[in-house]
Amino acid sequence: ETDRLSVPESPNTTEVEEKRTTDSKSADDDTVNVVERLKSDLKEREEAEESDTLNAQDELNMIRSLLEAEASQDARTLLDAQDSILSSNLSNEVNVGEKASNDRVRKLREKIEVNSLKTPTMSSMISIAAEKVQNSDNGDEGNETSASSSSGVFKFDDINGMADEEISTFIGSYEENKCLSEMISQLNTEDFEHLFRADPSFMDDFRWWCRVCLRARRYRQKRAIQLLKSYADWRLSSEIYKADQSRLKDQVETGFLLFLDDVRCVEGRAIIVIRLALHDPKKFQPKDVVTALHYVVLYGLKSDPIVQAKGFTVLMDMSETGYSNFDMGVASAVSKALNSTFPMRYGKLIVYNPPFFFSTLFKLIYIFLSTKMRQRMVRVFASSKNPITSPLFKYIQQACLPTFYCGNHHVDPETFAMEVLGTLTKQ
């Protein structure tokens, strides 16, 4: 019995050692793989952080871009430079040098956010505009030439403003720049900030608008400031800067509104033609008409600085007009815009060939007209059977009238519509 009860044999020592060696090698391999994987992950993370983290060179480029944008005095460039700082990726997990760059740009970003400098403040734009005017010796518009000094008799606070015969020599002169600088220095910083934020294009052309209003009010600074504020308020409330380009193009292409390039009336003013018979109230609302008129006027103002000072003569052509072409909403909106909103001067308002029922409608339209516009309104009746002796030539010479008034000036509404759209794009 005892012999049959044998004790189990113990494992071979060599096999145990081999097994231990195999297990240990496998564990080491696993450890190496884990370490390699961790190193790889760490390297990828460092590379990602290195590409996203703001380093000293990035900071230098941002600061340089910001300084160049401020020096250019261009609002859009300044906004882009500030946006790049606001959107930069700042991380604290960097070396000492990069952390210093991060901290400096972080402070700059906080300054931009706290001081609302993402959209430049009105005060900064005014100071830039005034400084640029003071540093200008020959005016700021490329198509304006420096004029000789005026007689010095005129004062900027005169009741009647500068006489028309003096204006042509005053435009682009040192005295005009001085007057503009004084006007800008008197502006209230809070009157335009909402418009600047909503409509950067007005901010870009702010100094140009100041000059236009100054010329439209014959260099009377207080009245020019009132006009600028009135136009800015209307521009913001009407959202004219959001004009539908396709509707504007369709409206102007009808030939309903025209600006006659390179010709003037007998008083030396630019000419706007409104052909009421081509207006369809069912297709175009009063807002569409005012929008089209605004950009036609803007096109005229940009065509020649003399137009800004001497203004427009408006030829209201009512030939072949019927009841279906009239819209009292249009009459009200246009009259309000011409009276006090648009930064423009106007001379005669020529009502050409009014229909028999105009006398009744005129009593209603008369309400919307200012006293000055009522005084400058003239009615002209002309027959196409006798164009040579047309009474219209008393106010506009035949060579300056379009061919459809027996004149010599050619106008293409479709080409003009594209030019007006160009003004909208550049504003």
Side-chain angles (χ1 to χ4, degrees):
E1 294 289 335
T2 301
D3 293 337
R4 286 201 299 265
L5 296 175
S6 60
V7 179
E9 298 180 0
S10 58
N12 192 314
T13 304
T14 303
E15 293 178 356
V16 171
E17 289 298 329
E18 290 178 355
K19 189 174 186 309
R20 286 179 179 175
T21 301
T22 303
D23 293 343
S24 175
K25 186 177 181 180
S26 177
D28 290 342
D29 290 341
D30 291 342
T31 302
V32 171
N33 292 336
V34 171
V35 172
E36 291 297 330
R37 191 163 54 251
L38 290 174
K39 286 182 178 179
S40 177
D41 292 344
L42 182 60
K43 185 177 181 181
E44 291 179 359
R45 189 178 306 171
E46 288 176 350
E47 290 177 353
E49 289 179 353
E50 184 178 353
S51 63
D52 293 338
T53 301
L54 183 73
N55 55 36
Q57 186 60 40
D58 294 331
E59 177 207 12
L60 183 62
N61 292 337
M62 284 186 179
I63 300 301
R64 183 184 292 116
S65 298
L66 185 61
L67 292 176
E68 290 175 353
E70 291 177 345
S72 70
Q73 302 178 5
D74 181 74
R76 293 182 186 275
T77 306
L78 185 58
L79 290 177
D80 291 340
Q82 292 176 345
D83 280 337
S84 67
I85 294 176
L86 293 173
S87 60
S88 58
N89 187 2
L90 302 180
S91 173
N92 291 321
E93 299 178 2
V94 290
N95 59 43
V96 176
E98 291 177 344
K99 187 176 187 303
S101 296
N102 275 258
D103 290 341
R104 285 193 293 269
V105 176
R106 183 179 287 104
K107 290 180 181 179
L108 182 59
R109 183 161 70 178
E110 290 174 356
K111 182 179 179 181
I112 292 173
E113 292 172 341
V114 171
N115 296 335
S116 300
L117 290 178
K118 188 175 186 297
T119 301
T121 60
M122 175 63 188
S123 56
S124 64
M125 294 303 297
I126 287 179
S127 61
I128 289 174
E131 182 179 357
K132 191 169 183 180
V133 171
Q134 290 170 353
N135 294 334
S136 175
D137 293 329
N138 298 320
D140 67 327
E141 279 132 6
N143 57 347
E144 295 178 13
T145 57
S146 178
S148 59
S149 176
S150 62
S151 62
V153 177
F154 169 72
K155 295 182 179 180
F156 298 142
D157 57 353
D158 281 355
I159 296 177
N160 296 321
M162 180 177 289
D164 285 344
E165 55 270 17
E166 289 187 80
I167 287 178
S168 59
T169 60
F170 198 75
I171 288 178
S173 66
Y174 170 80
E175 286 80 5
E176 184 190 52
N177 286 330
K178 180 180 178 182
C179 182
L180 177 62
S181 180
E182 291 180 4
M183 170 191 166
I184 292 175
S185 66
Q186 298 175 45
L187 294 175
N188 189 338
T189 59
E190 298 178 357
D191 290 336
F192 306 93
E193 287 194 7
H194 292 297
L195 179 58
F196 276 3
R197 296 178 187 277
D199 181 16
S201 65
F202 183 78
M203 178 171 58
D204 293 342
D205 290 338
F206 176 68
R207 203 161 57 90
W208 183 83
W209 282 113
C210 291
R211 196 182 291 271
V212 167
C213 291
L214 194 60
R215 290 169 176 170
R217 289 298 176 259
R218 291 189 289 179
Y219 301 99
R220 290 167 289 183
Q221 295 173 1
K222 292 182 179 179
R223 294 195 61 188
I225 292 172
Q226 292 174 354
L227 178 60
L228 180 65
K229 289 168 61 178
S230 176
Y231 173 71
D233 291 342
W234 174 82
R235 188 180 178 100
L236 181 63
S237 61
S238 66
E239 296 185 335
I240 194 72
Y241 50 87
K242 296 181 179 179
D244 186 332
Q245 294 191 27
S246 61
R247 288 191 65 81
L248 174 61
K249 181 174 179 290
D250 292 342
Q251 174 93 9
V252 179
E253 280 184 343
T254 63
F256 166 64
L257 277 169
L258 294 171
F259 174 80
L260 306 186
D261 276 309
D262 303 324
V263 294
R264 301 290 183 262
C265 70
V266 295
E267 295 178 343
R269 306 182 194 275
I271 305 167
I272 290 179
V273 178
I274 303 176
R275 293 191 285 175
L276 202 57
L278 300 178
H279 174 57
D280 184 0
K282 295 180 180 178
K283 186 175 181 180
F284 298 105
Q285 304 300 317
K287 183 178 181 180
D288 298 322
V289 176
V290 173
T291 298
L293 180 59
H294 172 268
Y295 284 105
V296 168
V297 169
L298 180 58
Y299 175 84
L301 292 174
K302 286 182 175 291
S303 67
D304 187 349
I306 294 293
V307 175
Q308 302 165 16
K310 291 195 173 183
F312 301 84
T313 286
V314 179
L315 173 57
M316 176 76 74
D317 183 6
M318 304 184 73
S319 304
E320 302 179 359
T321 299
Y323 281 111
S324 60
N325 302 117
F326 277 95
D327 185 344
M328 291 307 299
V330 170
S332 173
V334 170
S335 299
K336 181 179 179 181
L338 293 178
N339 277 336
S340 59
T341 301
F342 285 6
M344 59 177 286
R345 289 185 66 192
Y346 54 87
K348 293 282 190 299
L349 174 58
I350 304 172
V351 181
Y352 182 66
N353 281 344
F356 67 93
F357 55 84
F358 178 73
S359 298
T360 303
L361 292 175
F362 181 72
K363 295 178 182 178
L364 300 175
I365 298 174
Y366 195 80
I367 301 173
F368 303 112
L369 301 179
S370 66
T371 303
K372 185 179 292 186
M373 188 173 286
R374 294 169 188 168
Q375 295 172 348
R376 297 181 179 182
M377 178 184 290
V378 294
R379 301 187 198 186
V380 176
F381 295 88
S383 171
S384 59
K385 296 179 181 179
N386 190 16
I388 303 291
T389 58
S390 172
L392 196 57
F393 298 160
K394 177 182 177 181
Y395 306 100
I396 304 174
Q397 294 179 352
Q398 185 175 6
C400 300
L401 281 169
T403 53
F404 45 80
Y405 294 127
C406 300
N408 302 328
H409 189 70
H410 179 71
V411 181
D412 180 15
E414 293 185 0
T415 302
F416 177 63
M418 296 305 298
E419 292 173 348
V420 172
L421 285 180
T423 302
L424 174 61
T425 305
K426 295 175 184 177
Q427 69 162 336

